Amino acid sequence: MHLVARLVKRGCLSVLALVVCLIVMVVSAGKYAANRRSLPENTTSWGQSGNYIMGYGPVREPYSSSIKNTYQVFSPDGQWLDETTQRGGYYPVAIPTRQGSYLYFADAIKQAGEHTHEVSIRAHAFIEYSSNSETGTFGVATVNASSTEFAYDILTLKSDGKSTKFSTDIVPISLAVGKDYALVAGYLSSEKRLLLVDDQGHVTETSFPYSYVNYLGNDRFEILQADRVVEGERGHTVDFTSFEIELKKNHASTKRVLSVSHFTKSLPEDFVATYALRHGDSGYVTEDGRVYVHERLNNKPTFTGQLEGFSKENHVTNNNFIPVNSRFGEPSFGIQSKDAVSIRSWFEPNKVIVTIPLSKNACFLDVDEVCNLASINRVP
């Protein structure tokens, strides 16, 4: 019934038209399947600084195993460079490094680029959190390693095609990656924990009473404590205490606090979604398209512009607002239209930085209509 409904949407209204549409679909699918690239060809493009990686796959349930994950790489000026399509079934995630990007598929995380390293994962296990260093030397991913109990793998993914795996029963809730180290905050039973991960994959576990982490640049991290949460008629307000620490080669300790700061962050009642930006900043968009940036130590958000034609319905049903996961340049996001994605700055939301064409074939056989452009990443 899903297939018939989709064919009717395409204008196949009569029995004869349905037959013709089915023939066209089968022939087109055969041609497209023959042309899809399972392995990247332009290997250097996946690790070239400033390039965009567009990830296509399921963005909502049902996460069908028949849907493949497709990744395409574009130059900073929007020119197509390469693509790869392999077995999917869950939300596509890319973790860029300078020598190639790690791409999530149904049974493995595979590096596309100068190296072709592959990390096996449990079939259809999903990446809970992921991020990469600003220098592009490594990335970290937390992967759900069990379908029945709390079990996670913390993967360190290096640009030179090497990786490590650390298994833990700590449930991750926050991740921050710096130049040489990463912090993973989580909890075990009712106790909050903090994991220190270096770029070689060594993990140190410590107890810590707070649960959110950010990378601030220059080897500095912050560990946040939520002191007070107020839910009012006009929105939500949270008072934070920030403990700033330094983690660098030959000097990495979460016990030495460099400074303590206090600040407040708020969200209005009509916000649609909020996103973490760089160095502790955040941004959010309201139902009518107003865009705000909340700088880390500033108690009041800054209004930066209003998106024309934006609506809550389009955002929820069509996934038309997509943040760019980037440690390169100023924070940006994508607005998806019928044929293209326009990349814009959080600080100038109506100024288009670059336009990238949408793939018309990545979701070609999506009978349940759950496949879409899911993620945008930028190589550092």
Side-chain angles (χ1 to χ4, degrees), residues 177-190:
V177 180
K179 180 182 177 182
D180 302 305
Y181 289 90
L183 290 177
V184 180
Y187 62 89
L188 179 62
S189 298
S190 59

Side-chain angles (χ1 to χ4, degrees), residues 4 31 37 51 72 87 94 116 137 142-143 145 170 193 202 231 251 263 299 332 337 342 358:
V4 172
K31 290 181 178 179
R37 297 182 179 181
N51 282 354
Q72 296 181 329
R87 183 171 171 238
T116 56
T137 56
T142 62
V143 179
I170 293 175
R193 297 293 184 89
H202 303 122
E231 296 186 10
H251 183 75
F263 57 87
N299 288 336
S332 56
S337 61
S342 58
L358 285 174

Side-chain angles (χ1 to χ4, degrees), residues 162-278:
K162 299 176 182 178
S163 67
T164 63
K165 180 186 292 186
F166 177 83
S167 298
T168 180
D169 50 1
I170 293 175
V171 179
I173 56 177
S174 179
L175 167 67
V177 180
K179 180 182 177 182
D180 302 305
Y181 289 90
L183 290 177
V184 180
Y187 62 89
L188 179 62
S189 298
S190 59
E191 185 178 355
K192 295 177 181 179
R193 297 293 184 89
L194 188 70
L195 298 177
L196 174 64
V197 185
D198 70 16
D199 59 0
Q200 302 301 312
H202 303 122
V203 179
T204 303
E205 181 179 337
T206 61
S207 297
F208 211 90
Y210 314 121
S211 57
Y212 196 83
V213 290
N214 282 316
Y215 179 61
L216 304 179
N218 297 322
D219 298 316
R220 296 195 172 196
F221 293 76
E222 71 171 352
I223 304 170
L224 290 175
Q225 169 184 292
D227 299 316
R228 186 177 68 126
V229 179
V230 178
E231 296 186 10
E233 294 182 358
R234 301 182 63 180
H236 312 277
T237 300
V238 182
D239 295 331
F240 287 103
T241 298
S242 167
F243 301 88
E244 192 172 324
I245 61 174
E246 186 176 50
L247 301 175
K248 61 182 180 180
K249 290 293 186 184
N250 304 318
H251 183 75
S253 173
T254 59
K255 296 180 179 179
R256 181 171 176 266
V257 176
L258 300 178
S259 65
V260 178
S261 304
H262 302 276
F263 57 87
T264 299
K265 287 195 174 184
S266 58
L267 286 171
E269 185 180 15
D270 64 342
F271 87 96
V272 173
T274 180
Y275 302 95
L277 306 182
R278 296 181 62 195

Side-chain angles (χ1 to χ4, degrees), residues 141-161:
T142 62
V143 179
N144 189 317
S146 174
S147 59
T148 59
E149 58 187 15
F150 293 129
Y152 292 85
D153 289 332
I154 297 176
L155 306 179
T156 303
L157 307 168
K158 299 188 65 178
S159 61
D160 61 3

